[in-house]
Amino acid sequence: MLLHDDSSEAQTNSGEKKDGCQRLSGIQRDGLGKVFINSRAPVLQKSGELSRESALQLSARIRNIGIMAHIDAGKTTTTERMLYYSGYTRALGDVDDGDTVTDFMAQERERGITIQSAAVTFDWKTHRINLIDTPGHVDFTLEVERALRVLDGAVAVFDASAGVEAQTLTVWRQAEKHHVPCVCFLNKMDKPAANLSFSIESIKHKLKANPVLLQVPVGSGRNFSGVVDLLTNQKLTWKQTSTRDDGQVFESKPLDRSDDPELLHEVNEARTALIEQVADLDDEFADLLLTDFSDNFDAVSSSKLQEAVRRVTLARKGVPVLCGSSLRNKGVQPLLDAITAYLPAPDERHHDLVRWYKDDLCALAFKVLHDKQRGPLVFLRIYSGTLKPQSAVHNINRNSTERMSRLLVPFADQHVEIPSLTAGNIALTVGLKQTVTGDTIVASKASAAAAARRAHNAGGAGKRPGEHASVVLSGVEVPDPVFFCTIEPPTMAKQADLENALGCLQREDPSLKVRVDPDSGQTILCGMGELHIEIVHDRIRREYGIETQLGPLQVAYRESVLHGASAADTLDRTVGERRHVVSVELAVAPRDLAAPGGSCEVAFTEELGGQLSTEIKAAVENGVNGAYLQGPLLGYPLQGVATLIQRVTMEPGTSPAMVSACVSRCMLKALRLAGGRVLEPVMSLEVTVGEERLGTVLGDLAQRRGTVRDIQSRHDDKVLLATVPLAEMMGYSTILRTITSGNAAFSLELDTYEAMNQQDQSNLLKRVAGLL
């Protein structure tokens, strides 16, 4: 029997004091309790020049991972336990107490939710883990998107009593889109309703994934005390004592006949199923079993089984599943071991464009923060080369060169300056004032051109050498906002301050859009939901000291056309001594709203396409796309419209700007002739409610023009799946709380845009005109 204390090194060093700081295994705390990473920690810092072999060895011990889940599944609590057991914090933080490391914003601590992703860097045994804790609320889904874009692996946290929930599906789809290998952690195994088989089945059926169960829980509900590792047949038990109940120490012993017979039987069956499942998914392991262990599959060593599980995970053929209870401090250390054992190192992920840079610097900016003292702080994922402070770097997207003044390692809201960082790491830089989310950072223009030449010579890009677009890393997809409202400063003297604040917040959060209404001159704030806009409003007040006024929330509608129509127009204008004459003929028609490749398109007739120069074609497309921004009914952007350019004639000397202007005017004519219809955002709604309140919730949804898609059972509760127009969901959280006496939870996310019926559209037009 072994007693494990995985932070023994940290505990040994914790008593040392030097220069007024308490030293803690790669971290320092000052008297104020602030956390600082010790730059002399062996894994965290490698100063000086590294050979290519040393850099590869170091890279193999790095894990860039994200924690993702539905809201309240326990992501932040799990992160907090990881930091504590790795020796990087001295006290266990609690979301309810508002003292967690990664939820450092005032709004996060007040609400008990994660609003923006936070990066922390720590060591676990011989590995460095760069971890990003992401939000679970749908309003902040961009934070998950941009984190997964640069991460190599992810931990999906599940509430073991609920299984796969609405936002779990969303973040899982995002991970699949970026081909990120995952490990599943069934949290909250101490809840009375926790159910291992139910959670496994929901992963299998809802996520269409292949769960590979690596642990069996010992006990259930309040009696949950540990897990049995199916690879090693070791029983890991966490026992709370009067002297310590932080989960730091746990008991590890092999299963024997003195253990519960039911547990022994369950473990034997689960291990046999595990070996068979891995053999089905991994040919190499299947060959090993048939060759060396044909008489007794169970005799296969745990190391061979672990290697096979790793191959299955990296190939994304299966997802390892572990159990625990982060709040009760059980099962987190094995999860950390699984992260280092099964999730990929940076050099095990294939990034096609990066190889053209060889050993030159190539990095992607995926997040920007504004610091009052330091200015913009840019998070970079380094894919190749080495990053050093006081060096000039080239931003390919902005075609600009900037000087990076300082280089930091992120630790939530505390950062430590370091002399260099190599490929595979996540860095925080100071001094990049023009860089925004999604920009590609390289060493110089020359290195970008060299990479473009290599890609061209190898046939990896269809562009000419020197065209840098061929070696730009793909950026971060930003979703369109669905809510908007007006925002006004208290006095006109504060207008400039408000514009500066909104500019900084937009740079931090690309899903936040700001525009000025051309008619009223008011500033319009566009966001992903009620909570999103509420948080932005609160940040402007707290961080920038501006007491702004918000107008009523409004829905971001779209417009389309009812039928096809053609129009022609001629523009004849003299500017100075130059006469511009251009004639345009075009046709618009509705197209399928769900068609791939975008919501609107522009095309030329075959004959016309061969006659027009590239410059004039671009001018025509600019005119059409400009017209798409404002529909004929209410001025909302158009969606589901196809435009065919049939004729463009002009006299010599006519400028492209005049061509664009004529096309826009002709488009407006055609759109009016085609008849307009309004498209409204329709949300996917999931409500979890007790059976006795289900009828009340259904009745309320019927009044909101909701359509019920399915009603599922989850233990004693019902899960209602429906689609509802966003316009009907204003203040729904308050109403739902009232009609269910606070015994219901819901999640909402954008599903699609659908055409309104004639009566609802007529009412909307009257309301906008002030007639209702």
Side-chain angles (χ1 to χ4, degrees):
M1 183 181 75
L2 293 174
L3 282 177
H4 283 264
D5 185 347
D6 284 311
S7 64
S8 55
E9 180 187 349
Q11 296 298 317
T12 303
N13 294 334
S14 62
E16 298 179 16
K17 289 191 178 181
K18 188 175 181 180
D19 302 329
C21 289
Q22 292 181 322
R23 194 171 305 283
L24 183 64
S25 178
I27 212 84
Q28 289 182 357
R29 277 181 182 272
D30 64 5
L32 300 174
K34 290 191 176 180
V35 182
F36 297 92
I37 296 175
N38 175 9
S39 61
R40 287 190 287 251
V43 178
L44 275 175
Q45 174 68 34
K46 292 284 182 183
S47 57
E49 294 295 329
L50 287 171
S51 68
R52 183 174 177 83
E53 291 75 16
S54 299
L56 288 173
Q57 288 173 3
L58 189 62
S59 176
R61 290 189 287 138
I62 295 173
R63 298 292 181 271
N64 295 313
I65 65 157
I67 304 282
M68 61 181 195
H70 185 82
I71 192 168
D72 286 338
K75 298 178 299 300
T76 302
T77 303
T78 303
T79 302
E80 199 67 26
R81 297 317 184 254
M82 289 179 176
L83 295 175
Y84 180 72
Y85 297 138
S86 64
Y88 274 76
T89 56
R90 295 222 179 163
L92 287 168
D94 193 295
V95 172
D96 295 330
D97 295 337
D99 59 357
T100 57
V101 171
T102 52
D103 284 355
F104 53 82
M105 286 175 62
Q107 294 88 345
E108 292 177 314
R109 294 189 165 178
E110 285 173 4
R111 290 170 169 81
I113 62 170
T114 302
I115 290 170
Q116 66 175 16
S117 55
V120 288
T121 298
F122 62 92
D123 294 342
W124 179 250
K125 297 180 180 176
T126 60
H127 289 75
R128 170 196 281 185
I129 297 177
N130 297 316
L131 182 145
I132 297 182
D133 180 24
T134 65
H137 199 285
V138 68
D139 282 19
F140 311 108
T141 190
L142 173 71
E143 293 290 332
V144 184
E145 176 71 25
R146 61 180 170 186
L148 289 174
R149 169 64 186 84
V150 297
L151 294 174
D152 301 318
V155 176
V157 181
F158 299 80
D159 180 337
S161 66
V164 175
E165 299 175 87
Q167 188 65 7
T168 317
L169 277 166
T170 303
V171 296
W172 193 269
R173 282 196 294 264
Q174 289 174 304
E176 284 196 325
K177 181 173 72 175
H178 295 294
H179 309 293
V180 175
C182 296
V183 166
C184 296
F185 181 59
L186 301 182
N187 192 24
K188 304 189 180 185
M189 289 299 297
D190 60 308
K191 290 176 73 171
N195 189 319
L196 177 68
S197 58
F198 168 78
S199 299
I200 293 289
E201 285 302 309
S202 69
I203 291 171
K204 196 178 295 181
H205 293 116
K206 292 187 178 180
L207 300 182
K208 309 299 182 198
N210 218 336
V212 180
L213 185 64
L214 301 184
Q215 293 175 346
V216 169
V218 178
S220 59
R222 291 186 177 181
N223 297 321
F224 173 70
S225 60
V227 296
V228 176
D229 186 336
L230 296 178
L231 278 75
T232 61
N233 270 338
Q234 290 282 319
K235 182 181 177 183
L236 312 178
T237 310
W238 284 260
K239 293 181 179 178
Q240 295 185 352
T241 64
S242 56
T243 55
R244 86 187 290 178
D245 62 352
D246 59 2
Q248 191 87 265
V249 177
F250 62 93
E251 180 183 285
S252 176
K253 66 172 186 176
L255 276 178
D256 56 42
R257 293 184 179 181
S258 64
D259 286 299
D260 179 16
E262 284 188 18
L263 179 64
L264 287 171
H265 178 68
E266 185 182 0
V267 168
N268 286 336
E269 283 195 342
R271 191 170 198 272
T272 302
L274 170 65
I275 292 171
E276 290 176 358
Q277 184 184 12
V278 174
D280 286 341
L281 297 172
D282 184 71
D283 293 340
E284 186 179 332
F285 184 67
D287 291 342
L288 175 73
L289 288 181
L290 295 172
T291 306
D292 299 342
F293 302 98
S294 56
D295 295 334
N296 182 12
F297 288 173
D298 200 46
V300 67
S301 68
S302 59
S303 59
K304 294 293 183 184
L305 185 52
Q306 181 172 306
E307 289 171 10
V309 172
R310 177 175 175 79
R311 288 194 297 271
V312 167
T313 308
L314 297 189
R316 297 175 56 246
K317 294 178 180 177
V319 285
V321 178
L322 297 94
C323 313
S325 173
S326 298
L327 187 63
R328 304 298 172 207
N329 312 316
K330 297 170 184 175
V332 177
Q333 294 97 324
L335 175 61
L336 282 164
D337 290 335
I339 288 169
T340 58
Y342 304 123
L343 292 181
D347 55 2
E348 291 176 301
R349 295 269 285 154
H350 302 293
H351 305 285
D352 290 339
L353 293 178
V354 173
R355 68 182 188 274
W356 306 122
Y357 284 95
K358 295 192 173 179
D359 293 332
D360 290 340
L361 173 67
C362 179
L364 181 72
F366 68 94
K367 186 177 173 69
V368 179
L369 289 178
H370 278 271
D371 186 278
K372 289 184 178 178
Q373 279 76 40
R374 300 185 179 115
L377 304 176
V378 180
F379 284 84
L380 297 178
R381 163 66 197 268
I382 308 170
Y383 287 102
S384 65
T386 303
L387 201 59
K388 295 180 180 180
Q390 299 299 330
S391 60
V393 293
H394 180 66
N395 184 327
I396 300 181
N397 301 71
R398 311 285 144 203
N399 194 23
S400 63
T401 299
E402 298 184 273
R403 180 165 290 277
M404 182 179 58
S405 57
R406 299 168 71 189
L407 182 64
L408 311 168
V409 168
F411 190 83
D413 58 339
Q414 305 291 330
H415 316 297
V416 177
E417 197 163 351
I418 52 170
S420 67
L421 264 184
T422 54
N425 281 291
I426 290 174
L428 191 57
T429 61
V430 181
L432 304 182
K433 293 182 168 53
Q434 296 180 40
T435 303
V436 298
T437 298
D439 285 356
T440 301
I441 303 297
V442 296
S444 63
K445 269 190 175 181
S447 72
R453 283 196 298 274
R454 292 185 199 111
H456 178 78
N457 293 338
K463 301 193 177 188
R464 295 188 301 275
E467 287 194 13
H468 298 167
S470 61
V471 284
V472 172
L473 301 174
S474 61
V476 178
E477 287 185 25
V478 180
D480 291 329
V482 292
F483 270 117
F484 70 92
C485 65
T486 59
I487 182 168
E488 295 179 353
T491 63
M492 286 307 295
K494 291 279 188 180
Q495 181 67 33
D497 293 339
L498 176 60
E499 288 175 2
N500 174 61
L502 290 173
C504 292
L505 291 172
Q506 268 190 286
R507 194 172 169 199
E508 285 188 25
D509 181 2
S511 66
L512 176 69
K513 309 288 185 188
V514 179
R515 60 183 174 86
V516 176
D517 187 286
D519 298 323
S520 66
Q522 289 180 301
T523 303
I524 310 293
L525 200 61
C526 309
M528 299 302 297
E530 291 180 83
L531 181 61
H532 188 201
I533 289 179
E534 184 185 331
I535 294 295
V536 169
H537 183 223
D538 194 41
R539 288 189 65 186
I540 291 171
R541 179 177 63 82
R542 294 189 193 219
E543 297 174 25
Y544 298 92
I546 307 170
E547 294 288 346
T548 55
Q549 300 294 323
L550 287 184
L553 281 175
Q554 299 179 58
V555 176
Y557 293 100
R558 297 283 187 269
E559 294 184 33
S560 190
V561 293
L562 284 170
H563 47 76
S566 299
D569 197 9
T570 300
L571 183 144
D572 187 343
R573 187 170 298 171
T574 302
V575 180
E577 297 181 355
R578 192 171 171 186
R579 188 182 177 199
H580 304 267
V581 181
V582 57
S583 294
V584 174
E585 188 177 324
L586 54 80
V588 296
R591 68 188 293 247
D592 184 7
L593 294 174
S599 59
C600 290
E601 65 176 16
V602 55
F604 297 83
T605 61
E606 192 173 336
E607 183 182 353
L608 183 63
Q611 295 173 354
L612 298 179
S613 66
T614 305
E615 186 182 26
I616 298 303
K617 271 188 181 178
V620 171
E621 288 173 356
N622 285 339
V624 173
N625 291 328
Y628 282 155
L629 296 176
Q630 199 163 16
L633 282 176
L634 295 170
Y636 290 108
L638 285 155
Q639 186 167 315
V641 180
T643 301
L644 179 65
I645 310 298
Q646 298 167 329
R647 180 174 62 86
V648 177
T649 57
M650 55 190 154
E651 292 191 1
T654 301
S655 72
M658 291 299 176
V659 175
S660 293
C662 183
V663 170
S664 291
R665 203 165 72 177
C666 190
M667 278 289 293
L668 187 57
K669 277 187 187 179
L671 291 170
R672 284 176 178 160
L673 290 170
R677 59 174 178 168
V678 178
L679 309 175
E680 63 178 344
V682 175
M683 311 301 284
S684 178
L685 172 70
E686 181 179 301
V687 182
T688 305
V689 63
E691 190 168 359
E692 69 280 1
R693 305 278 184 179
L694 181 61
T696 311
V697 174
L698 286 170
D700 179 69
L701 273 182
Q703 295 176 0
R704 297 173 183 273
R705 297 191 282 135
T707 303
V708 177
R709 292 187 303 183
D710 194 11
I711 299 175
Q712 301 172 350
S713 294
R714 183 184 291 164
H715 308 304
D716 296 331
D717 292 333
K718 294 293 182 182
V719 179
L720 175 63
L721 304 177
T723 53
V724 196
L726 177 59
E728 304 291 341
M729 297 302 290
M730 300 288 190
Y732 184 66
S733 57
T734 305
I735 299 295
L736 185 66
R737 195 179 306 120
T738 302
I739 64 177
T740 63
S741 302
N743 294 317
F746 82 100
S747 64
L748 204 64
E749 66 175 312
L750 180 64
D751 184 31
T752 185
Y753 273 86
E754 289 183 1
M756 298 179 76
N757 64 46
Q758 199 59 43
Q759 183 181 350
D760 292 330
Q761 179 173 315
S762 176
N763 290 337
L764 174 65
L765 295 174
K766 287 177 182 177
R767 191 161 61 247
V768 171
L771 300 176
L772 279 181

